[in-house]
Each structure stands twice: as structure tokens, then as C-alpha cells.
Amino acid sequence: NVSFTLCGVNTQNKGIGFLHGEVVFRNPYGFLPALQYGMLPFSGARMVAYVLLFAFFLYCYIINRESTLPLHNAFLVVFLIALTEATLSYSSYQHVNLTGDPFCCPLPSYVVGTFIVQIFRQTLSRSLFLVVSLGYGIVRPKLMKAEWIAVSVVSLLYFITAMVAKVSDIESDNYEASSSKEQQGFHFYDIPAVLVE
């Protein structure tokens, strides 16, 4: 609750006053809105889980390095990127919670970096899944050139459409926050990402 008392007001402008200042809203747990606060402990737990998973995989990788396949190297890279993304995500939420920097519009560089690493990890994971589904490293020692090209094209298309979908989600969140339910509609930017998935 905020109340103001105007003292020494000029009788000619009775009841009119000017107030200049800055209003800051801080919750008991920090600056994150309540809808986003749940992501802070979740991101921290996810980061810890990725650290443990990466350490276990790296341990197994080092013990069995004589018999590793190129596929294992790719898994190691994906785990490393996932660990980086989880760490960036947690540090972004923590930074916003501690400092009160706005999370959106314009997006801070650390949030943009987190989104890019997240989409890169998703793209690399899907590409690896495609390659394994084609039998590489399991039943086939190598893939044909046409298969590598097809996987690369699909991966590039996914990366582009996922970036467009992420920007669309951010824009629609801002639009929905500033408009009524009647003005909100279907977002056509999501269609390419859904089709490529």
C-alpha cells in the first residue's frame, strides 16, 4: 500500500501535485515474477543432474576409451552442450532474481545466449537421433553422402524454424500480456517448427 500526503500545496492548484520517482516491486524471494520463480529451483536441479550425468558418462568414456566409437564422441559433445545450456539457464534466472533486470523486451544478451545454446543443443540432439536411426555406429560403419546431406539439411531447417518459433513465443508473450483474450490468436510462426519436428 502506498499513500501520499501533499503538504504546503498552493491554494490556486488545490489538490494538484507532481510526483517523480521509481517504483520497484520485489517479492520476498527476489525479483522474478511468481510465474517464473518455479523455474529457478528447477534450473538448478537440472544443472546438478547434468553435472552428475556428464561426470558419470565421462568416467565411463575414459575407462572404455579403447573401444569407443565416433558416436560416443558425439554423445560427449551433446552432454557438454547440455551442461552449458543448463548452467546458462540457471545463471540467467538467478541473475534476474538477484538484480531485477527485466527478462524481456529487449532481451538481455545472456538470455539470448541461453536461447541460442538451447536451440543448438536441441538441433544437435535431433541430428544425432537421426544418424543413430539410420544405423550409423550400430549396424553400419558409415552413412552415404546423400544421407549426411539429408541430415544436415533437416538439422539446418530445424535450427532456423526453432529460432523463429522462439522469437514468436517471446513476441506473443509480450502481446498477450498487453492485450485482451479477444485480440489473441493463432501464431503461424509455430507451423514450420512443428512440421520439421
Side-chain angles (χ1 to χ4, degrees):
N1 294 334
V2 177
S3 63
F4 299 99
T5 303
L6 301 175
C7 301
V9 176
N10 189 345
T11 56
Q12 293 173 343
N13 297 327
K14 190 172 184 181
I16 298 175
F18 296 100
L19 180 66
H20 298 283
E22 183 178 313
V23 178
V24 177
F25 294 95
R26 187 175 196 286
N27 295 310
Y29 50 79
F31 287 102
L32 275 174
L35 290 174
Q36 293 179 342
Y37 181 70
M39 292 301 293
L40 183 63
F42 174 77
S43 320
R46 186 174 68 132
M47 182 183 67
V48 169
Y50 272 124
V51 166
L52 295 174
L53 185 62
F54 181 74
F56 176 72
F57 186 81
L58 187 63
Y59 172 75
C60 292
Y61 180 85
I62 290 172
I63 287 177
N64 301 305
R65 67 179 166 263
E66 299 86 25
S67 60
T68 58
L69 302 170
L71 207 53
H72 294 114
N73 298 335
F75 282 129
L76 190 63
V77 169
V78 169
F79 278 134
L80 185 60
I81 292 172
L83 176 61
T84 304
E85 184 240 328
T87 305
L88 286 173
S89 177
Y90 176 72
S91 63
S92 294
Y93 280 112
Q94 188 72 330
H95 179 75
V96 169
N97 194 41
L98 294 176
T99 64
D101 289 346
F103 197 69
C104 182
C105 308
L107 290 173
S109 58
Y110 53 86
V111 175
V112 172
T114 302
F115 288 154
I116 290 171
V117 172
Q118 175 189 17
I119 293 171
F120 182 67
R121 180 208 29 101
Q122 291 171 344
T123 304
L124 197 58
S125 298
R126 282 173 169 77
S127 302
L128 189 58
F129 180 73
L130 282 173
V131 168
V132 170
S133 296
L134 290 171
Y136 178 70
I138 298 169
V139 294
R140 297 169 63 186
K142 63 181 188 173
L143 295 179
M144 295 183 297
K145 186 177 180 179
E147 291 171 326
W148 282 115
I149 291 172
V151 168
S152 300
V153 168
V154 169
S155 299
L156 181 64
L157 286 174
Y158 176 79
F159 184 79
I160 292 169
T161 56
M163 290 295 278
V164 169
K166 181 57 93 173
V167 170
S168 170
D169 286 345
I170 293 166
E171 290 295 322
S172 68
D173 287 347
N174 292 335
Y175 178 73
E176 289 170 5
S178 64
S179 67
S180 66
K181 288 287 184 189
E182 292 82 27
Q183 294 174 333
Q184 298 171 13
F186 179 72
H187 303 288
F188 289 101
Y189 293 112
D190 294 333
I191 292 173
V194 170
L195 291 176
V196 173
E197 276 188 11

